[in-house]
Amino acid sequence: MNRDIIKTKKAKYVYKASSIEHGDVTAVDDVTVEFHEGSFTAVLGRNGSGKSTFARLLNALLIPVEGVVFVDNIETGQEDYIWDIRRNVGIIFQNPDNQIVGTTVEEDVAFGPENLGIPPMEIRQRVDAAIETVDMGSFVKNAPHLLSGGQKQRVAIAGILSMKPKCIVTDEATSMLDPIGRKEVIKVLKRLNEEEKITIIHITHHMEEAAIADRVIIFDKGKLVLDGCPKEVFSRVKIIKQLGLEVPQVTELFYDINMEGFDLPLSVIDIDEAYKAIVKRLK
Ligand SMILES: Nc1ncnc2c1ncn2[C@@H]1O[C@H](COP(=O)(O)OP(=O)(O)O)[C@@H](O)[C@H]1O
Ligand SMILES: [Mg+2]
């Protein structure tokens, strides 16, 4: 059950300098990590910490210069398998407009399976199912570019789903969305994870989104520096701030109250838990 769907061993990626003044950049540095099938991991790290490069290493858009990345036990450097890898690990990027390929929602979602040479009948079934899963059933004939940001990202997710992926990586896919759009996308990702057991690797700046993951990993200067369940990771408030990141608002509040000399647990990451901890303290 706890099979690793993705594994990296000492993976390293270096961008070559464009000129002498700008040295080479080691964007991902000696990263060894595994993702269990069916898990939901949030990936955090300040700008430039290597998150997007890491994401691209996971579906062979980039190949490590040292070390290895395995997707479903296939090494990403093996060119013969590159399309299997990309089909298994789909990436949703930040800007929804850059991901639109069709003139209607259904055409857009069909693009992937058409390229895979899937028979038309099966494409039809896959497209309908994928659109239903992301709650876009009433928009099949709509023009994707006229949708809201959250809807566009859901169409992009459906496009990946139609290729029956094992894993979806989102690279700040919620960062250009309004709070409603963000919620819609998170709801869909959660559902895909819980009901379809799709592994989710969610790169985000929103700590509240990280708090709902099973696991949080944090990058700094290309290295993986923290790894644990959200409670463990966010209770290390001081370290997280040193890494240029925030903690969830309630954790921050509890931290500040602790600084005033009142004892409240720092492992609290949501409002319900905060409520219980305060009531317990006041009793
Ligand atoms: N195409 C590129 N060419 C050169 N350097 C790059 C390129 N893309 C990213 N980098 C550098 O690699 C490092 C990691 O970048 P990135 O993976 O985009 O981090 P993040 O997604 O966490 O912001 C940064 O120092 C960035 O400037
Ligand atoms: Mg990035």
Side-chain angles (χ1 to χ4, degrees), residues 15 20 31 40 47 63 67 93 110 131 134 173 188 199 207 226 244 253 262 278:
Y15 291 103
I20 306 252
V31 172
F40 193 128
N47 278 337
I63 305 298
F93 294 96
I131 290 175
V134 301
V188 165
T199 308
M207 300 305 139
L226 280 179
L253 178 68
F262 300 98
I278 291 170

Side-chain angles (χ1 to χ4, degrees), residues 15-16 25-27 45-54 171-172:
Y15 291 103
K16 288 283 156 206
V25 177
T26 303
R46 69 177 117 206
N47 278 337
S49 59
K51 304 180 299 297
S52 294
T53 308
F54 178 70
D171 189 1
E172 298 194 25

Side-chain angles (χ1 to χ4, degrees), residues 239-252:
I239 295 173
I240 293 196
K241 284 173 180 261
Q242 281 164 358
L243 294 171
L245 299 169
E246 303 283 318
V247 294
Q249 277 183 333
V250 280
T251 317
E252 172 101 41

Side-chain angles (χ1 to χ4, degrees), residues 2 25 43 106 119 128 143 208 235 242 273:
N2 271 351
V25 177
V43 181
E106 59 180 2
D128 290 346
E208 279 68 21
S235 64
Q242 281 164 358
E273 290 173 355

